Amino acid sequence: MYLRRLSPLLPTLLFLLVVSGCKKMLSEEGAPPDNTSIAQIVQTSIEGRVLNEQLQPVQNAFISSGGQIATTNEDGHFQLEDIRVLDDAAVVTVEKYGYFRSYRTLMVREGESQYVQLQLLLKNENKISAATGDLIPFPEGTLTFPAGAALTANNDAYNGTMTVRSIYINPDGSAVADQMPGDLRGIDKNNKQTGLRAFSMIVFTMEDAAGAALHPDPARPVSFRIMIPNELTSGAPQQISLWHFDDATGFWKEEGQATREGNDYTGTASQTGFWLCATTFPQITLTVHVQDQQAAPLPDTRVTLLTKNGFIPAYGFTNADGVYYGKVASGQPLIMTLTDNCSNVLHQQEIGPFSTTAEISNMSVTVPESQTLTINGTAKDCDRFNVVTGKVIVNVDYRNYTATITNGNFSVTVLRCSGQPANVTFTATDNRTNKTSISTIQAGSGTITPVLQVCN
């Protein structure tokens, strides 16, 4: 099976150009369906990777969610186990010096480990006088700071040298799924949850000479002009809702409007952080169980869901059990695309439309056998009895995959970029004894049956 290596959205768009003769935007306004469930606190685990602007792993980044803190290893991997979070909006926060703080909002399920990937954004730095203000240009627009409009945390006027850090985020770029904060869900002015169709996005911060945070005077906010990507200009309205990311809830919050001027949006920002120009649309909750041709769950696989009309995206990953769980556009045909971690398209299928909560129980994906490693292992304790309950973390190709040990058995399917032999490292834990063992073998593709002894 030959798979072309492309950005996650490009093959989908090519497919849609064939199956759809015209592009129609969804309604710019829309209330979420009334069947939105009430969020509940669940116990779950979240694991994933943090990458930099060159798609290289970021080591020693701080990850927090559900009151727990972890750090990334040399592969950029992190794991937060048995955390208590809202199932509708579990917020993962990433911090690393030199980068903007990053956020991802996830829908999670009780007891099921969810994978996530984040790409950090470098801070572009400009120093200006807070007393006189200034205009900061960048390739995609401008930020204008009024004279004497910077305030300290105590709301005192600050008129010294001010450091402004900012970056534009292309909402139509190939990396936006990993770069954007949240998950393109917002809380509108009526306090209702809604889906967001992004047209332009920016983030900025303000600091005094000592590095302490500053914020704009609400009476004299920061003005912005930010570009609408060429691919989105035909559907960009003249007036558009303006949204600010709330890192406490993990949702975007409606904060006024922006106006289109040519191929840019202009508006004002009353506080620092992430800002988004976006229209709204109603959503429903979708669950999809994804499996390979051998009926094995396909874990940690990137999912892109585009509306057939308008190409409005939703993003996510399957969890450790091969389940995608998230919000998608209501009442619209969808194109669901699954890609591996090498950006190869594995599967593409039209689904929907769905007007209420929906579930697809067995989406079968044919994966290339030459790049598939199936692990059917056993785990023994010090006395060579089966480990009754436990966990195995499998590391291969700088990626971690989690499998549950049940009565001595565990299994996981790993889709690799190559069938060449590589180190496969198993970190196994016995829940009863709290003992852990680490072992490494060489494997390529096919099926392997390692026997692990958890006895350290």
Side-chain angles (χ1 to χ4, degrees):
M1 178 179 181
Y2 178 69
L3 297 173
R4 298 186 63 188
R5 187 168 177 152
L6 297 167
S7 71
L9 287 180
L10 181 57
T12 302
L13 294 176
L14 293 174
F15 175 80
L16 288 172
L17 289 175
V18 176
V19 300
S20 179
C22 63
K23 292 174 64 176
K24 299 179 181 178
M25 296 302 297
L26 290 183
S27 169
E28 296 170 9
E29 300 297 331
D34 293 333
N35 62 356
T36 301
S37 59
I38 298 175
Q40 299 181 6
I41 294 178
V42 297
Q43 182 167 301
T44 188
S45 297
I46 298 175
E47 62 176 316
R49 292 187 84 202
V50 178
L51 306 175
N52 64 15
E53 72 284 0
Q54 297 176 336
L55 301 182
Q56 297 170 331
V58 175
Q59 188 175 7
N60 294 326
F62 291 95
I63 318 295
S64 59
S65 184
Q68 287 192 25
I69 299 176
T71 57
T72 53
N73 64 14
E74 65 275 9
D75 298 327
H77 184 266
F78 69 89
Q79 186 150 10
L80 295 163
E81 295 188 83
D82 299 327
I83 57 175
R84 295 185 63 78
V85 292
L86 287 174
D87 61 352
D88 186 58
V91 183
V92 177
T93 304
V94 181
E95 296 184 70
K96 177 71 175 180
Y97 180 77
Y99 295 90
F100 285 101
R101 189 176 295 168
S102 182
Y103 307 92
R104 187 56 33 80
T105 306
L106 308 171
M107 292 182 64
V108 296
R109 292 157 63 101
E110 175 77 36
E112 296 183 10
S113 179
Q114 179 63 52
Y115 180 83
V116 65
Q117 184 166 291
L118 301 97
Q119 182 182 335
L120 299 183
L121 298 168
L122 273 173
K123 294 179 177 180
N124 297 320
E125 182 176 305
N126 293 272
K127 293 186 183 295
I128 64 174
S129 168
T132 61
D134 207 345
L135 180 148
I136 297 176
F138 47 93
E140 302 87 1
T142 60
L143 285 170
T144 303
F145 293 81
L151 303 178
T152 68
N154 295 323
N155 289 322
D156 297 324
Y158 176 78
N159 290 308
T161 300
M162 180 170 67
T163 300
V164 177
R165 295 182 171 91
S166 62
I167 195 168
Y168 172 84
I169 305 167
N170 184 350
D172 199 52
S174 61
V176 68
D178 294 344
Q179 294 175 342
M180 66 180 186
D183 66 347
L184 293 180
R185 284 184 292 159
I187 303 298
D188 66 16
K189 57 189 175 183
N190 297 315
N191 204 34
K192 299 292 186 181
Q193 187 184 136
T194 183
L196 300 177
R197 193 341 169 194
F199 284 88
S200 207
M201 195 182 312
I202 194 171
V203 58
F204 74 94
T205 60
M206 303 159 56
E207 294 178 1
D208 66 15
L214 300 171
H215 63 270
D217 183 343
R220 289 174 294 170
V222 176
S223 299
F224 64 81
R225 174 184 288 270
I226 49 179
M227 180 185 75
I228 306 167
N230 290 335
E231 296 80 4
L232 302 180
T233 54
S234 63
Q238 185 64 29
Q239 298 290 325
I240 194 168
S241 294
L242 187 60
W243 307 78
H244 181 261
F245 184 72
D246 184 346
D247 56 20
T249 65
F251 292 106
W252 295 88
K253 184 178 180 181
E254 190 173 6
E255 298 279 357
Q257 284 196 324
T259 301
R260 180 172 177 174
E261 295 184 7
N263 288 334
D264 299 329
Y265 275 122
T266 63
T268 58
S270 58
Q271 53 188 312
T272 58
F274 290 87
W275 289 88
L276 170 68
C277 298
T279 55
T280 66
F281 60 91
Q283 293 183 305
I284 59 94
T285 300
L286 175 66
T287 303
V288 183
H289 300 258
V290 182
Q291 60 187 30
D292 65 15
Q293 61 268 41
Q294 306 299 326
L298 201 60
D300 305 353
T301 303
R302 186 184 293 274
V303 177
T304 303
L305 288 141
L306 291 181
T307 59
K308 189 174 177 180
N309 298 324
F311 302 162
I312 299 176
Y315 306 104
F317 284 87
T318 59
N319 65 18
D321 297 317
V323 179
Y324 167 81
Y325 178 58
K327 292 292 181 72
V328 299
S330 172
Q332 296 291 325
L334 303 168
I335 303 298
M336 183 171 182
T337 303
L338 293 101
T339 53
D340 64 17
N341 58 3
C342 308
S343 298
N344 296 316
V345 175
L346 299 173
H347 184 76
Q348 201 165 62
Q349 179 177 336
E350 182 174 336
I351 60 175
F354 308 107
S355 57
T356 60
T357 298
E359 183 167 358
I360 299 175
S361 59
N362 55 353
M363 178 175 286
S364 182
V365 176
T366 301
V367 296
E369 294 183 1
S370 61
Q371 296 173 218
T372 303
L373 177 62
T374 300
I375 303 169
N376 295 324
T378 56
K380 305 288 185 178
D381 62 18
C382 295
D383 299 318
R384 297 195 176 276
F385 291 113
N386 287 339
V387 173
V388 178
T389 62
K391 181 185 68 175
V392 178
I393 298 175
V394 182
N395 181 279
V396 57
D397 298 333
Y398 309 107
R399 290 280 298 269
N400 281 13
Y401 302 84
T402 302
T404 300
I405 303 172
T406 303
N407 295 325
N409 299 310
F410 68 93
S411 63
V412 63
T413 298
V414 176
L415 186 60
R416 305 182 58 217
C417 296
S418 166
Q420 295 298 315
N423 286 334
V424 181
T425 300
F426 302 90
T427 303
T429 301
D430 186 333
N431 289 346
R432 183 179 60 87
T433 63
N434 289 324
K435 292 185 176 182
T436 298
S437 69
I438 300 176
S439 56
T440 300
I441 64 173
Q442 282 264 314
S445 60
T447 300
I448 60 174
T449 56
V451 178
L452 311 180
Q453 188 167 12
V454 189
C455 191
N456 291 337

